[in-house]
Amino acid sequence: MEFAEHGAEAPKRLGIGEYLVRHLREYGLLFALITIMVFFQIVTNGTLLKPVNVTNLLLQNSYIIIMALGMLIVIVSGNIDLSVGSVMGFVGALAAVMIVEWEQSIAVTVVTCLVAGGLIGAAQGYWIAYWKIPSFIVTLAGMLVFRGLSLWLLEGQSLGPFPREFQMIANGFVPDIFPSGLSQGVADLLGARRVNMLSLSTGLVAAGLITWMGMKSRAQNRAYGMDLEPLAFFYARIGITSLALIFIFYKLSTFRGLPNVLLTMGVLAIIYAFFTERTVMGRRIYALGGNEKAAKLSGIKTERLTFLAFANMGVLAAVAGMVFAARLNSATPKAGFALELDVIAAVFIGGASMSGGVGKIVGAVVGAFLMGVLNNGMSIMGIGIDYQQVIKGLVLLAAVIFDVYNKSKQA
Amino acid sequence: MTALLEMRSITKEFPGVKALDTVNLAVKQGEIHALVGENGAGKSTLMKVLSGVYPAGTYDGEIHYDGALAEFANIAESEARGIIIIHQELALVPLLSIAENLFLGNERAIGGIIDWRQTNQRTESLLRKVGLSEPPSTMVDKLGVGKQQLVEIAKALSKEVRLLILDEPTAALSESDSQALLDLMLELKTRGVTQIIISHKLNEVRRVADTVTVIRDGTTVSTMDAETDEITEDRIVRDMVGRDMADRYPERDRRAGGMLMEVRNWNVWHPLHTERQVINDISLTVRAGEVVGIAGLMGAGRTELAMSIFGRSYGRNISGSIEMRGRAVDVSSVSKAIDAGLAYVTEDRKSLGLILEESIQRNITLANLKDVSRNAILNEAKETRVAQDYRKALNIRSPGVFQKVMNLSGGNQQKVVLSKWLFAHPEVLILDEPTRGIDVGAKFEIYGIINDLSAQDKGVVMISSEMPELLGMCDRIYVMNEGTFVGELTAQEASQERIMSLIVTE
Ligand SMILES: Nc1ncnc2c1ncn2[C@@H]1O[C@H](COP(=O)(O)OP(=O)(O)OP(=O)(O)O)[C@@H](O)[C@H]1O
Ligand SMILES: [Mg+2]
C-alpha cells in the first residue's frame, strides 16, 4: 500500500474531484440552499430577499430551528421525539393561561414554562432511558397526551392577547447601540433609507469570525494530516458564506434591525454546535448513537445521556412554544400541530442518520432554513398548501436517498 | 490439474488506500488454496473482488473462472456460478432456525408456500454432511460460534458450491472445533469442492493447504506448492513479514511483585435464566508485573467472568469481593471499574468494542476522554497526537487517524480496541482473545506490549483459546471449566496435556 512507505502522516493534497466526491453531502446541502434561494428570488420577482421578507423568514422559522437543535441531539443519540409539536403547543397554552388568566408576571411565566418543558422531556426520557421503551412509542404517546392537555387547558378556545413585553420575545428588535449620526452617514453612503448599524456590524463580525475559524481549522487540518480541502474550494466556501451573512444582515439592517429571536437562535445554535463538537459529553452522545453497547463498555453512562437528551429537548420545545405564542399574540389549541415533522425533516435533510451517531448542528440549521425558504417561497408564489406538502415530502425523500446513494458509492 | 480460477493483475483502490496492487492468484481445480498475509495485506478485499461484493468495473484486472472471463455485478451472479464466500464476520440471522437460515433467499416452496417437510429433510441431510446433529428447528442464537460456522458451510453446500471461500473460519473457534472444521474441508475436497482459506493460523494452513499464496502490502509475493516445495511455517512467516522471525514470543523477565488484584468468591447468575449459575465461587489473584492466563474450552465461562468483573457488564445476582492493592473497590459500573484501574478488551470487537462509523482517533480516546480534555472541553490537537502515537506504536495500517474504523481490516480494528484500553492506563488489563484474527508479526508486537505493561508493574489477565499463546506468555494459568476454576498451574508446570487433562477429569 502506498501509505505504508510514508509511515508518518504526510498531509495529502487531494484532487478537486476526489475531494468533492468525499464531501458531496456538505457541499450538496449548501448548494441546494443557494439554488433554491436563487430560484425563488427569480420567480418571485425579487420578493424573497426583500428586507421585510428576510425578517419574516427568520421569524417564521425560528421555532423550527430552535427545536431542530434539540432534535439533532435526540436523533444522534439513536432516538426520535414525535412529541415536540404538541409539547410546544402545550407550553404556549400554559404561558397564555398564566399571563392572561392568572395574571402572573412574565419572568415567573417564562421560568415556569422552561421548567415545565424540562419536566415533560424528563418524564418521557425516563421511560426511554431507564425502561428501554422505544422512543417512538413513548413520544407518540406524549404527542397525543400533550395535544389533549393543551385543548383542555385552553378549553378549546384561543387565548390572548399578551402584554407588549411578552410579544417582544418574538416580534421585538434589538435596539441599535450605535449613535444615530453614524447610522445616517452609512445609510447615505450605501444609498439606503436607513441602516441599523448593530445589525450590519453583527453581520460583518460574524463573517469575520467564520473566515478566521475556517483559516484556523484549515491550519490544524494541515498540521494533523487530514484531507485538505482544495484551496479554491476553501475560498469559495468561506467567501460565499461570509458574503451571504453580510448580505442577510444588511437586508435586516435596512428594515428594522436585528430581531430578538435571531439573537436567541444564533446564540443557541453556537452553544449547541460547540457542545456537540467540542465537549466530552457531546462526543459521548455520538458514541452512544454509534454503538450503544460499545459506548457502555467504555464507561459511558448511556442511560443518563439518553435521559438528558430528552429533558433538553423539552426545554427547547418550551422556548419554541413561547416564541410561537408571542409571535401569534395568542395561544391556540392547534399551535404546533404537525410541526414535529418539519423539525425531524430538517434534521434528516441536514445529513443526520436514522440509525444514530451521525449528524451536525450546522446541517440541521441549514436543513431547517432550506425547508423554511421552500415554505416561504411557495407561499409567495401562491402555490396551494396541497402542492407545498407534496414538494416538501419529495425534498425530504430526495435528501435521504442522496445520503444512502452517497454512502453506497463510498463503500 | 487445470486452473479453475485465475485472477490477473487485480488492482483495487479505496479513497486514499491502494488495497490491491496487481495481485495474481491461480487456483487449481479441486485443491485447497491458502491465502495468507499480514493484517491489511488485502486478503479479504481480494475475495470480495472475486465474489462480486465489489462489482466488475470498480477494480482493474481480469478474473478468469472456469475457462471464461467473469465479470460479476453482484454476489448473486457469482453464487449462480458456484462461488460461495463465508465472510470473516458470520452472516446468519440469530432469531431464525437453522433450517430457515439454510434456505434464506432460496426457500423450498411450492407456489410461494414453504414446504416445511422438504426443508427439514434437506436441512437434516446437509447438517449430517457437516457433522451436526442439532434438530433443524434449533434457533441459531442457541448455537456456539463453532456450530454456527458449520451451519454457514451447510448453507454453502445447499447451493451447489464449486468454489468455497472461507475468510478466517477458525479465528473464533476452539481447538477441537477448528480440527472438526479442517477435517470437513479435507472431506469436501475429496468430493471435488475447490476451496480458498484465509487464515492467520499457520499450522492449520500447513495441514490442509495444497498451495499457499502469500500477499504483502497488496501484492503477491510468493506461491508455494505442497507437491514441489516444502511448505514450512518459517518460510510462510518470512514471506509474510519480509524478514526472518526467530521467536514467536518475546523474552520477558518473569517476576511477580506485590498483590495487585484479588477477586474472592465470585458468583454470577445467568441474566435471563436466573436459576442458572454461570460463575461458581471463583477466586483469582494477579500480582504486579504478572501475566495470568485463563485457559478453558469455549463456553467455560471465561468471557462471562471477565465481563461480570468489569462493571457488572454481564449477569445478575453477582456476589464476591474485589480488592486492588489490598483495598476493597467498587466495580458496580463500568466507569467505576475503569476508575478502580481495570480495563477489558472484548473478544467481540465489532459489536462491543468499536464505534464503526467513527474514526480511529475517536475510538482510541473514547474510554479516557478525561486525558484529552480540560473542564470537559476537548482538546482535539492533543487527541490527534495521542491517536497518532498509538497508531505508530501498534503499527495500525491506515492512511491516517481520521480513517473510519469500518474501513480497516479485521486485525487493524483489533489494534484500535487495544489502543483504546492502553490509553485508559489500567492497573490490570483483561484481554479476551487479544490476538484473534491477528497476523504473526502483529501478535509479536502485542506480546511485546503485554511485556511492557508487565515491566511497568501492571497486571495482565489473558483469556485465550490458543494454548501455545498462553503457555508462551503467562506466568501462571488458571484452568476453567463449566464456571469454576479446576486447576492452577505455574509456567513451569503447565503444558497442553496437563491443561487438557484438568479440563477432562473434572
Ligand atoms: N471500504 C474500505 N474503504 C477504505 N479502505 C478499505 C476498505 N476496505 C478495506 N480497506 C483497506 O484495504 C486494506 C486491505 O484490507 P483487507 O480487509 O483486505 O485486509 P486483510 O488482508 O483481510 O486483513 P485482516 O487479516 O486484518 O483481515 C486495508 O488497509 C484496509 O484498511
Ligand atoms: Mg480480512
Side-chain angles (χ1 to χ4, degrees):
Chain A
M1 278 152 293
E2 46 188 5
F3 54 76
E5 279 80 53
H6 290 305
E9 324 257 328
K12 292 169 301 297
R13 200 166 286 268
L14 297 172
I16 290 196
E18 195 181 345
Y19 188 85
L20 195 61
V21 168
R22 265 203 253 177
H23 297 263
L24 205 55
R25 191 58 170 87
E26 292 121 65
Y27 289 111
L29 194 61
L30 203 61
F31 184 73
L33 182 64
I34 293 170
T35 316
I36 286 174
M37 284 178 75
V38 169
F39 171 78
F40 281 117
Q41 176 71 358
I42 293 168
V43 297
T44 61
N45 294 320
T47 312
L48 184 80
L49 292 181
K50 282 221 173 96
V52 53
N53 195 52
V54 172
T55 307
N56 259 335
L57 193 66
L58 289 171
L59 295 185
Q60 268 171 11
N61 289 295
S62 54
Y63 37 89
I64 296 195
I65 291 175
I66 290 170
M67 289 198 289
L69 303 175
M71 189 65 81
L72 177 100
I73 291 179
V74 166
I75 288 177
V76 163
S77 79
N79 292 291
I80 192 98
D81 191 341
L82 298 173
S83 72
V84 294
S86 296
V87 173
M88 173 188 139
F90 174 76
V91 172
L94 182 64
V97 169
M98 283 187 72
I99 291 178
V100 179
E101 289 191 349
W102 302 346
E103 295 175 353
Q104 294 294 320
S105 75
I106 292 180
V108 170
T109 307
V110 169
V111 172
T112 313
C113 285
L114 292 178
V115 171
L119 287 177
I120 292 171
Q124 301 193 86
Y126 171 75
W127 297 110
I128 297 162
Y130 297 102
W131 285 70
K132 310 271 177 251
I133 300 177
S135 55
F136 189 94
I137 309 281
V138 173
T139 59
L140 183 64
M143 173 172 144
L144 296 169
V145 167
F146 292 103
R147 176 67 47 215
L149 285 180
S150 350
L151 259 171
W152 168 76
L153 209 56
L154 293 170
E155 292 164 344
Q157 308 288 318
S158 291
L159 197 57
F162 289 108
R164 225 185 80 77
E165 293 76 39
F166 190 77
Q167 289 179 45
M168 291 291 283
I169 295 179
N171 299 334
F173 291 83
V174 185
D176 198 346
I177 47 168
F178 289 90
S180 58
L182 179 67
S183 309
Q184 203 49 54
V186 175
D188 292 341
L189 201 69
L190 295 171
R193 208 153 47 80
R194 62 175 159 198
V195 166
N196 178 307
M197 278 309 291
L198 178 68
S199 170
L200 188 59
S201 45
T202 307
L204 291 171
V205 170
L209 269 177
I210 287 218
T211 312
W212 180 70
M213 274 164 42
M215 297 285 213
K216 214 178 98 169
S217 85
R218 188 176 166 83
Q220 208 169 38
N221 287 356
R222 187 201 309 277
Y224 290 105
M226 275 181 101
D227 299 359
L228 264 197
E229 187 177 17
L231 209 59
F233 270 57
F234 173 73
Y235 283 128
R237 186 169 55 83
I238 296 284
I240 290 175
T241 324
S242 306
L243 283 179
L245 273 173
I246 295 174
F247 178 77
I248 299 275
F249 278 92
Y250 172 68
K251 287 285 176 184
L252 290 174
S253 76
T254 60
F255 185 56
R256 293 177 57 190
L258 209 58
N260 286 339
V261 174
L262 180 63
L263 196 70
T264 317
M265 202 165 81
V267 170
L268 283 177
I270 290 170
I271 291 175
Y272 277 89
F274 183 83
F275 170 75
T276 52
E277 282 172 35
R278 298 288 310 278
T279 67
V280 169
M281 202 174 185
R283 173 68 59 80
R284 288 182 170 161
I285 292 175
Y286 283 87
L288 158 67
N291 183 346
E292 185 174 350
K293 286 188 203 153
K296 212 176 160 120
L297 273 180
S298 302
I300 294 174
K301 300 192 173 90
T302 52
E303 284 95 1
R304 202 168 72 183
L305 276 184
T306 308
F307 174 77
L308 290 176
F310 279 91
N312 171 66
M313 181 74 249
V315 174
L316 288 176
V319 174
M322 286 187 281
V323 169
F324 190 80
R327 182 170 155 68
L328 294 189
N329 198 14
S330 74
T332 73
K334 279 193 81 77
F337 184 73
L339 214 64
E340 58 277 348
L341 302 180
D342 280 12
V343 175
I344 292 168
V347 172
F348 284 138
I349 288 176
S353 138
M354 15 259 126
S355 51
V358 179
K360 279 188 161 183
I361 288 287
V362 196
V365 171
V366 175
F369 264 116
L370 201 138
M371 293 287 274
V373 172
L374 269 178
N375 275 333
N376 184 276
M378 290 192 292
S379 298
I380 299 174
M381 281 173 71
I383 295 179
I385 192 86
D386 40 3
Y387 287 111
Q388 287 198 20
Q389 301 276 4
V390 172
I391 291 172
K392 272 168 29 183
L394 292 179
V395 167
L396 171 63
L397 187 63
V400 176
I401 290 175
F402 187 75
D403 263 357
V404 173
Y405 170 76
N406 216 3
K407 214 172 184 180
S408 74
K409 239 183 63 179
Q410 282 189 8
Chain B
M1 278 193 285
T2 51
L4 174 67
L5 169 77
E6 247 188 276
M7 300 181 79
R8 292 187 197 145
S9 45
I10 304 288
T11 299
K12 167 81 189 164
E13 280 187 63
F14 296 107
V17 188
K18 205 172 205 175
L20 296 175
D21 190 2
T22 59
V23 171
N24 295 308
L25 176 72
V27 178
K28 288 185 284 249
Q29 176 76 49
E31 71 164 348
I32 295 181
H33 194 117
L35 199 56
V36 296
E38 289 180 292
N39 297 126
K43 307 176 296 291
S44 298
T45 306
L46 186 66
M47 291 303 105
K48 287 179 183 166
V49 164
L50 169 60
S51 58
V53 173
Y54 300 132
T58 62
Y59 58 86
D60 291 330
E62 285 179 0
I63 301 176
H64 291 265
Y65 176 69
D66 202 13
L69 185 67
E71 290 180 326
F72 302 124
N74 50 45
I75 310 178
E77 284 187 15
S78 67
E79 281 196 353
R81 301 282 308 276
I83 301 178
I84 311 266
I85 180 164
I86 298 178
H87 289 284
Q88 206 161 351
E89 293 79 35
L90 295 181
L92 296 172
V93 186
L95 289 177
L96 290 182
S97 69
I98 297 180
E100 284 165 323
N101 264 291
L102 281 189
F103 293 101
L104 198 63
N106 184 22
E107 286 82 2
R108 306 284 102 181
I110 305 168
I113 295 171
I114 292 186
D115 179 352
W116 283 110
R117 223 170 59 93
Q118 199 201 345
T119 303
N120 286 335
Q121 276 174 1
R122 287 269 292 148
T123 303
E124 271 174 15
S125 87
L126 285 166
L127 289 183
R128 256 199 310 280
K129 276 189 201 162
V130 298
L132 275 179
S133 55
E134 265 69 15
S137 59
T138 315
M139 290 291 163
V140 161
D141 68 341
K142 297 278 180 303
L143 302 176
V145 225
K147 287 182 175 170
Q148 290 193 18
Q149 192 68 258
L150 295 178
V151 172
E152 284 267 18
I153 294 178
K155 185 171 173 182
L157 295 182
S158 77
K159 292 185 209 156
E160 311 288 322
V161 56
R162 295 189 59 200
L163 175 60
L164 180 63
I165 303 163
L166 300 130
D167 194 349
E168 299 193 31
T170 59
L173 300 196
S174 67
E175 193 72 25
S176 58
D177 283 347
S178 302
Q179 292 308 324
L181 187 122
L182 297 175
D183 288 340
L184 178 62
M185 286 185 70
L186 291 170
E187 196 203 315
L188 290 176
K189 183 174 123 180
T190 64
R191 283 199 260 140
V193 180
T194 312
Q195 293 159 76
I196 299 176
I197 178 175
I198 297 176
S199 180
H200 291 293
K201 298 186 180 172
L202 302 181
N203 53 343
E204 297 177 353
V205 167
R206 233 175 44 113
R207 193 176 142 207
V208 297
D210 302 301
T211 315
V212 178
T213 294
V214 182
I215 57 178
R216 183 166 76 226
D217 291 348
T219 51
T220 320
V221 275
S222 65
T223 298
M224 294 167 243
D225 193 326
E227 276 178 24
T228 52
D229 314 280
E230 200 203 342
I231 301 180
T232 64
E233 285 184 38
D234 285 340
R235 205 176 141 195
I236 300 176
V237 170
R238 192 171 59 232
D239 286 348
M240 274 173 73
V241 298
R243 63 188 153 81
D244 275 313
M245 264 185 63
D247 293 313
R248 294 288 171 82
Y249 304 100
E251 271 307 313
R252 169 178 89 236
D253 301 336
R254 300 197 178 215
R255 68 227 172 87
M259 186 62 72
L260 191 54
M261 181 173 83
E262 202 166 358
V263 178
R264 265 191 239 114
N265 308 104
W266 201 250
N267 287 290
V268 179
W269 269 263
H270 195 277
L272 300 175
H273 310 291
T274 43
E275 71 293 342
R276 233 176 81 200
Q277 188 165 2
V278 185
I279 302 296
N280 195 346
D281 203 37
I282 277 182
S283 296
L284 171 153
T285 57
V286 182
R287 292 178 170 276
E290 205 180 19
V291 179
V292 178
I294 304 181
L297 303 178
M298 293 264 157
R302 294 168 301 171
T303 296
E304 288 78 1
L305 171 66
M307 286 184 72
S308 64
I309 291 175
F310 189 63
R312 307 216 170 137
S313 306
Y314 172 88
R316 56 158 68 201
N317 286 340
I318 298 171
S319 65
S321 66
I322 298 184
E323 283 177 7
M324 298 287 290
R325 294 194 197 283
R327 262 215 305 237
V329 289
D330 177 7
V331 292
S332 59
S333 75
V334 174
S335 54
K336 283 180 187 157
I338 293 174
D339 289 343
L342 291 181
Y344 169 66
V345 176
T346 169
E347 62 172 340
D348 187 352
R349 57 179 170 251
K350 285 244 155 115
S351 64
L352 301 181
L354 294 167
I355 319 279
L356 291 170
E357 278 275 349
E358 291 203 342
S359 63
I360 295 176
Q361 165 177 330
R362 284 172 162 228
N363 273 283
I364 289 180
T365 56
L366 189 61
N368 187 13
L369 288 170
K370 205 168 67 241
D371 280 2
V372 290
S373 63
R374 239 175 96 189
N375 302 325
I377 292 167
L378 294 166
N379 178 346
E380 274 168 271
K382 185 168 180 196
E383 198 183 351
T384 307
R385 259 192 320 272
V386 165
Q388 283 174 345
D389 288 348
Y390 279 99
R391 174 171 171 262
K392 200 172 289 168
L394 273 75
N395 194 14
I396 299 171
R397 299 285 190 90
S398 75
V401 293
F402 304 105
Q403 180 81 331
K404 279 188 187 171
V405 168
M406 193 170 55
N407 294 337
L408 298 183
S409 77
N412 284 304
Q413 288 178 341
Q414 180 69 18
K415 294 185 193 172
V416 174
V417 183
L418 203 58
S419 304
K420 170 166 98 173
W421 289 111
L422 289 176
F423 180 55
H425 305 305
E427 289 293 306
V428 174
L429 180 66
I430 307 173
L431 299 163
D432 199 349
E433 307 286 358
T435 60
R436 173 178 292 175
I438 284 208
D439 69 55
V440 268
K443 266 184 195 167
F444 193 81
E445 287 163 16
I446 286 177
Y447 298 147
I449 290 163
I450 293 176
N451 287 351
D452 288 347
L453 285 173
S454 150
Q456 296 160 27
D457 271 347
K458 310 284 184 211
V460 176
V461 176
M462 189 162 164
I463 297 171
S464 176
S465 295
E466 282 188 49
M467 256 187 249
E469 173 175 282
L470 287 178
L471 296 171
M473 287 299 299
C474 297
D475 300 314
R476 200 150 52 81
I477 299 174
Y478 290 105
V479 183
M480 190 167 178
N481 193 27
E482 292 180 356
T484 52
F485 282 169
V486 292
E488 183 184 339
L489 301 167
T490 61
Q492 290 77 32
E493 298 165 342
S495 69
Q496 206 139 334
E497 292 71 34
R498 288 198 63 174
I499 292 176
M500 278 321 290
S501 77
L502 275 171
I503 292 174
V504 175
T505 51
E506 271 299 305

